[in-house]
Amino acid sequence: MKQTPLLERFPLGKGVTLRNRIVMAPMTTWSGNDDGTVSYEEEAYYRRRVQDIGLVITGCTHVQENGIGFTGEFAAYDDKFIPGLKRLAIAAKSGGAPAILQIFHAGVKTSPELVSDIVAASAIPGDAGPFAPSVTPRELTCTEVETVI
């Protein structure tokens, strides 16, 4: 197998070339505002970390109101979140690398403390985890799936 230096440029396709192969992996910071907007702390987190890397992947943002998985998670299910997401994009790209917004739906791992209508792709009970007990979700309808997409 050919060895490729970590600091070489890397073509992703569609005209995007990374300046190197160092990727900032998505991290959960729990620093979103209580209303689901991006906090200034979240912006600062990215601005401090994105220098000299090839690609940035943000922490997750839920794409449906009942898709939140933990407190402090920022949202993208409504246009009202666009100003904060735009600030996040600017911060994430401030080091010169492309950025990817990680989209997310907690599904069966949603905490009943955060959401009363827990939904997933099927009504199969989920195992308990560190953030949520075992629950049996409501199965999403086809229309709901299309809305999420």
Side-chain angles (χ1 to χ4, degrees):
M1 186 165 111
K2 180 182 173 190
Q3 290 286 23
T4 305
L6 183 63
L7 299 178
E8 276 187 16
R9 295 173 65 80
F10 182 79
L12 273 184
K14 302 270 186 196
V16 176
T17 299
L18 306 184
R19 66 177 160 211
N20 59 50
R21 297 159 190 248
I22 300 171
V23 176
M24 180 178 163
M27 300 294 291
T28 299
T29 62
W30 290 280
S31 61
N33 293 319
D34 290 341
D35 64 358
T37 56
V38 173
S39 69
Y40 290 105
E41 292 80 13
E42 189 85 24
E43 279 183 72
Y45 174 87
Y46 285 92
R47 286 189 191 282
R48 285 191 308 268
R49 289 169 174 80
V50 298
Q51 302 306 312
D52 303 319
I53 61 175
L55 177 68
V56 179
I57 305 173
T58 71
C60 61
T61 179
H62 54 287
V63 295
Q64 193 173 28
E65 189 169 9
N66 61 354
I68 187 169
F70 52 88
T71 58
E73 183 181 330
F74 53 93
Y77 62 84
D78 189 275
D79 286 351
K80 68 184 177 184
F81 298 109
I82 290 174
L85 292 169
K86 182 176 181 179
R87 289 192 336 267
L88 176 64
I90 291 167
K93 296 190 297 182
S94 66
I100 296 171
L101 178 67
Q102 179 188 190
I103 58 174
F104 170 80
H105 191 294
V108 71
K109 296 297 183 180
T110 299
S111 172
E113 295 172 9
L114 299 173
V115 175
S116 60
D117 181 27
I118 297 176
V119 298
S122 64
I124 297 172
D127 296 330
F131 301 106
S134 176
V135 296
T136 301
R138 176 179 65 77
E139 183 174 315
L140 286 164
T141 66
C142 289
T143 302
E144 289 174 312
V145 171
E146 290 172 1
T147 300
V148 170
I149 291 170

